[in-house]
Amino acid sequence: MVLTGVKFALAADKVTEARKIDVEVNRGIVQLNGFVDTASEKSRATVVAADVKGVREVQNNLQINPGARSAGVAVDDALLTAKVKAALIQSPDTKAHQISVNTERGVVQLSGFVDSATAKAAATTVALSVTGVRDVDNALAIKSH
């Protein structure tokens, strides 16, 4: 219910571009992940998410996009995202279904909630092993039990 509420609120807001923002929720803790165009969009997303009923905390992991991408860069980023997802699936140390992957100009953002610090570290190692990945922004959070 919180997940749907946050996604709806972001979509209804005039400043935030909801299609660029991935939302993960664990026990009322909301993660905002992905790449946005401006600092105002990033800060507005936090305000919008925090106003949704049931949200206890907002972790804003949004990165500000340095500028428009060419079609070739967008294709390369999509290919890198697919390769990283495949590598995470193949790794015995990561539960790929817990991890969202976004890529912008070769920088991979990992987000979501994982079971342990070991799984978080393994996800970074796996992503960095993929040819073409320039850097990894590991925004994974460890689930509270």
Side-chain angles (χ1 to χ4, degrees):
M1 183 110 144
V2 172
L3 177 65
T4 304
V6 172
K7 286 183 175 184
F8 180 77
L10 289 169
D13 188 77
K14 292 179 180 174
V15 175
T16 59
E17 291 189 50
R19 64 179 171 74
K20 295 182 178 181
I21 301 172
D22 288 332
V23 180
E24 302 284 336
V25 179
N26 182 39
R27 298 179 183 222
I29 299 172
V30 173
Q31 271 191 353
L32 302 175
N33 308 296
F35 297 87
V36 294
D37 295 330
T38 65
S40 61
E41 185 177 357
K42 177 179 178 174
S43 61
R44 179 68 185 159
T46 299
V47 171
V48 170
D51 284 344
V52 174
K53 183 179 178 181
V55 173
R56 291 187 8 233
E57 178 185 336
V58 176
Q59 298 173 349
N60 189 330
N61 302 319
L62 294 168
Q63 299 291 316
I64 299 170
N65 184 356
R69 297 183 298 172
S70 68
V73 170
V75 169
D76 290 346
D77 284 344
L79 183 58
L80 272 180
T81 296
K83 286 181 177 181
V84 170
K85 287 180 179 181
L88 290 168
I89 289 168
Q90 292 173 355
S91 172
D93 300 321
T94 58
K95 292 183 180 175
H97 68 277
Q98 295 179 323
I99 302 171
S100 293
V101 180
N102 289 297
T103 307
E104 188 79 25
R105 299 180 190 271
V107 177
V108 173
Q109 183 184 61
L110 305 173
S111 59
F113 294 88
V114 293
D115 296 329
S116 67
T118 303
K120 179 177 179 174
T124 297
T125 302
V126 169
L128 284 171
S129 74
V130 174
T131 302
V133 172
R134 289 187 22 240
D135 197 12
V136 174
D137 170 25
N138 189 331
L140 291 167
I142 299 166
K143 289 180 184 177
S144 58
H145 297 283

